[in-house]
Amino acid sequence: MKKLLVLALGLLLVLDTFAWGQKGHDVTACIAERHLTRKAARQVRRVLNGSSAVYVSNWMDNASHTPQYAHTKTWHYFNIAPDGALETTERLPEGDVLRAVTELTAQLKSGRLDSGEEETALRMLIHLVGDMHCPMHLGHAEDLGGNLCKVRFFGRDTNLHSVWDTDLVEAAHRWSYTEWAAQLDNGLSKADCGQIASGTPEEWVRETHALCRRIYADTPGGTAISYDYISEYAPLVERQFLRGGLRLARLLNEIYGGR
C-alpha cells in the first residue's frame, strides 16, 4: 500500500511538471521562428491558422490533461535507469519523447495528414522538441524524472524536476521570452547554427541524457541550491534553449521549406 501511495504521488507530480516551464517553451519556439525560411514560416502560420509557433508552444502540456489527448502523457519524457542506457531501456508502449518526435516529423513530412491532423501534429512537435532538450526529461524512472528527488531552492522545499523546469530558468535571468531569444541567438554564423542544429533526434536525446547524469551527480537529494548552482548551470540552460530552437527550426524547414 505504501508503494502504491508513493507511486500515485509521483504520478501527480509528473502531471504537474511536464516540461520546461512556459518561458522555456516560448524561448525555444521564438528562436526557431527566427531561423525559418520564408516559405516555412508561411506554411507554419497557415497550418496553425494564423498563430505563431510561440503561441502554441505550451498547448500540449494542457492538452495532455484532457481525455482526448491523455494517451500523450508519456510522450513528454524518456526515463532511463541510473545505470542504464538508451538502447537497453525498455520502451513504454504508450510512447516517449524520442518516438513521438520521430513519428510526428515523419507524419508531417509525408504530407498525408488532413488539416486538423496536421495542426495537432505540428503543435505537438513544437512542444516536444523543447521537452527533448530539458535535462530532467531524460531522468530516472525510479524517481519519475527528479520529481521524487527532494531539494531546497533558496530555502524553499521543492524537487529537482521543478528546479530545472522553471526555478532555475527564472533565477538565471528575469527576461521575457523575446529577450531570452535575442540574447542567446546573437552573433552566430550560419555555420555555427548549422553545426548546432545537426544530428538526429536520437543523438539529441543521448546528449540531453548525458547532461542529466551530470545534474544528478551534482544534485543529490537534500541539496541546498543557491547562487553557486545558478552560476554553474545557467549557461547550460541557455545552451539547451538555443539547441532546441535551432533544431526545431531545422525540422520545420525540412518539413515545410520545400513545399
Side-chain angles (χ1 to χ4, degrees):
M1 178 62 72
K2 184 177 180 180
K3 289 183 178 179
L4 289 175
L5 289 174
V6 170
L7 178 58
L9 175 61
L11 289 173
L12 286 173
L13 288 169
V14 167
L15 293 177
D16 286 337
T17 52
F18 270 127
W20 286 127
Q22 290 187 0
K23 183 71 65 65
H25 283 290
D26 289 348
V27 174
T28 300
C30 187
I31 291 173
E33 287 186 321
R34 291 162 62 103
H35 291 269
L36 294 180
T37 65
R38 282 183 289 182
K39 186 168 186 178
R42 288 196 302 269
Q43 292 289 349
V44 167
R45 285 275 185 173
R46 175 189 62 79
V47 174
L48 297 177
N49 295 306
S51 296
S52 68
V54 174
Y55 185 82
V56 304
S57 65
N58 286 282
W59 170 83
M60 194 175 177
D61 273 344
N62 295 320
S64 293
H65 286 287
T66 67
Q68 183 178 2
Y69 297 107
H71 63 283
T72 68
K73 287 175 182 176
T74 64
W75 295 13
H76 298 257
Y77 58 87
F78 191 143
N79 287 159
I80 300 174
D83 57 350
L86 186 148
E87 58 270 14
T88 58
T89 297
E90 184 177 355
R91 306 291 286 270
L92 295 174
E94 300 87 352
D96 52 60
V97 70
L98 175 55
R99 176 178 160 189
V101 167
T102 302
E103 293 185 355
L104 289 166
T105 301
Q107 291 168 12
L108 288 165
K109 284 182 176 180
S110 75
R112 293 193 294 267
L113 301 177
D114 66 33
S115 60
E117 293 169 337
E118 185 175 17
E119 181 183 0
T120 298
L122 180 55
R123 284 171 176 257
M124 289 180 173
L125 182 65
I126 289 167
H127 183 86
L128 293 175
V129 172
D131 280 354
M132 184 176 277
H133 290 84
C134 184
M136 296 316 298
H137 283 254
L138 273 296
H140 301 160
E142 65 181 18
D143 69 1
L144 301 174
N147 275 294
L148 301 182
C149 180
K150 303 301 181 183
V151 297
R152 291 180 64 79
F153 188 82
F154 288 92
R156 172 173 57 84
D157 290 334
T158 184
N159 63 76
L160 187 58
H161 193 110
S162 292
V163 166
W164 274 88
D165 276 2
T166 304
D167 294 332
L168 181 54
V169 174
E170 295 299 337
H173 304 290
R174 291 287 183 174
W175 293 336
S176 66
Y177 76 84
T178 54
E179 290 171 324
W180 271 96
Q183 292 295 325
L184 302 184
D185 184 21
N186 180 36
L188 292 173
S189 68
K190 187 174 182 179
D192 289 336
C193 292
Q195 193 280 325
I196 294 170
S198 65
T200 65
E202 181 174 330
E203 290 170 335
W204 305 339
V205 162
R206 291 180 186 279
E207 178 184 73
T208 304
H209 179 232
L211 296 175
C212 186
R213 290 172 68 94
R214 170 187 160 193
I215 291 164
Y216 270 120
D218 288 353
T219 326
T223 296
I225 295 173
S226 189
Y227 295 102
D228 55 343
Y229 193 93
I230 305 303
S231 178
E232 179 176 357
Y233 279 112
L236 191 152
V237 171
E238 295 170 2
R239 190 160 60 248
Q240 289 304 98
F241 284 170
L242 185 61
R243 285 170 171 169
L246 293 176
R247 290 165 180 176
L248 174 58
R250 196 199 94 193
L251 294 180
L252 296 180
N253 285 333
E254 289 176 354
I255 293 167
Y256 293 114
R259 287 196 193 179

